[in-house]
Amino acid sequence: MKALDIMEAAGGIDDEILMEVTSAMQEKNTGKPLRAKRTLRTVLIAAALVLVLAGSAFAAGRLINSPAQAVKVARQEIAKMQDMGILSSEFRFFDGEPSYLGEAPNKGVSDYWFGRIFPHSYIVRGTTADGKYFMNLYVDTMSGKIVQLTTEAKADETDTPIPGGDVTVETSNGMETFHTYNNYDDILPDGMTVDEFCTLLAKYWGFSGYRLAQTDDAMFHYAQLNPGGGELLTDFAGANSYLTVYFDGDQSGTPMYISLDRFPGRVNVLFGMLHQVG
């Protein structure tokens, strides 16, 4: 927090409060006794003052300060991901207003209080008007980067079902059979390798590199050996597991996950972190 931020933040506080706190501090420095009630009142005012100043200075350093800004920045970042080749050029941001827009605090221990008073991320969720794409993403308020994206794409009528991949489930209409598809090219550029994808994500988030790690999830019993970077990302689709990636320069040392799944009539892609970038 810079001194300039504190001075600017103080501009919105009543002058009488500032004068009283300053006067009380001066009396304390001279060694004169202070009345108990005045002392308590001054301490409470000073505590509130510090909180307001800290909060104002913290907000001044953020890129996103409102829900409307979160949606606007999220749309811009999706376009940036497309330009970089992380997402397919066919991918589309949702139309109109989001179906859900909420604050998501950072749950890191060191950020416990600030993470609950001042949001570190906004959750932006929506579906395109034609129902083709659904997305749920976290956009970081400090950097403006999308730190996690979960998205689905429905298969088109012209897409070919996976042979032997039919799924029969019980619905309100009884037992129904649905096709499964490999239409990942609606979300990811066709032919994307693990190395290409992780390299592009490292560049987007500002990291210097990455390393793949073995996935060993005791809760869900997922296991995935350390893959080779040259393998196609879609080779891991529907494997009931996910890829675990660590980025060079990530101070928290928290892994990022990549998963590709299939559901009846649609595919799902998830990638990202649940902490602040850096």
Side-chain angles (χ1 to χ4, degrees):
M1 187 184 300
K2 297 178 295 183
L4 181 60
D5 293 332
I6 296 291
M7 295 303 294
E8 289 180 350
I13 299 174
D14 191 276
D15 291 340
E16 291 184 7
I17 295 178
L18 288 175
M19 289 296 292
E20 181 166 351
V21 173
T22 302
S23 176
M25 290 179 176
Q26 288 174 344
E27 283 190 36
K28 183 179 182 300
N29 291 334
T30 61
K32 295 180 180 179
L34 295 176
R35 290 193 299 264
K37 288 185 178 179
R38 182 177 180 186
T39 301
L40 177 59
R41 182 168 180 266
T42 300
V43 168
L44 292 175
I45 292 175
L49 178 61
V50 169
L51 181 59
V52 170
L53 289 174
S56 300
F58 182 83
R62 295 192 300 171
L63 184 66
I64 300 173
N65 289 294
S66 71
Q69 277 185 310
V71 177
K72 180 180 179 180
V73 171
R75 186 185 299 273
Q76 294 171 343
E77 291 303 301
I78 288 292
K80 184 176 181 179
M81 284 185 169
Q82 289 180 288
D83 291 340
M84 292 179 65
I86 296 173
L87 295 174
S88 167
S89 59
E90 302 297 320
F91 189 78
R92 287 183 284 116
F93 198 78
F94 61 82
D95 312 276
E97 296 298 317
S99 58
Y100 177 81
L101 179 58
E103 300 173 358
N106 184 348
K107 292 179 175 54
V109 175
S110 62
D111 298 321
Y112 187 88
W113 293 110
F114 269 122
R116 281 151 180 76
I117 299 172
F118 308 105
H120 282 272
S121 296
Y122 274 98
I123 305 171
V124 182
R125 184 183 305 155
T127 305
T128 56
D130 59 0
K132 171 72 176 179
Y133 291 102
F134 162 84
M135 66 202 68
N136 185 85
L137 59 87
Y138 289 71
V139 57
D140 184 75
T141 58
M142 298 295 289
S143 67
K145 300 288 186 180
I146 292 174
V147 293
Q148 188 189 72
L149 172 65
T150 301
T151 183
E152 295 183 355
K154 284 187 177 180
D156 297 321
E157 293 181 358
T158 54
D159 288 329
T160 303
I162 298 174
D166 291 355
V167 177
T168 301
V169 295
E170 185 174 0
T171 69
S172 58
N173 298 321
M175 300 301 292
E176 292 189 74
T177 299
F178 298 90
H179 299 307
T180 57
Y181 298 84
N182 268 330
N183 58 307
Y184 290 103
D185 56 352
D186 287 331
I187 299 173
L188 303 169
D190 195 24
M192 176 76 78
T193 66
V194 173
D195 178 69
E196 290 170 341
F197 192 64
C198 292
T199 298
L200 287 172
L201 287 178
K203 182 179 180 181
Y204 172 74
W205 283 320
F207 297 125
S208 56
Y210 77 93
R211 64 179 177 86
L212 296 166
Q214 180 172 324
T215 298
D216 188 9
D217 192 317
M219 179 179 292
F220 295 102
H221 305 291
Y222 291 160
Q224 176 64 61
L225 296 176
N226 193 336
E231 297 182 57
L232 291 175
L233 201 57
T234 51
D235 287 347
F236 300 93
N240 291 325
S241 185
Y242 51 84
L243 301 180
T244 303
V245 188
Y246 289 88
F247 288 97
D248 301 335
D250 183 359
Q251 297 173 6
S252 70
T254 304
M256 185 273 285
Y257 303 109
I258 305 171
S259 70
L260 283 73
D261 294 296
R262 298 187 191 93
F263 299 101
R266 67 193 192 280
V267 294
N268 175 285
V269 173
L270 177 151
F271 60 87
M273 303 171 285
L274 284 176
H275 67 286
Q276 283 182 287
V277 173

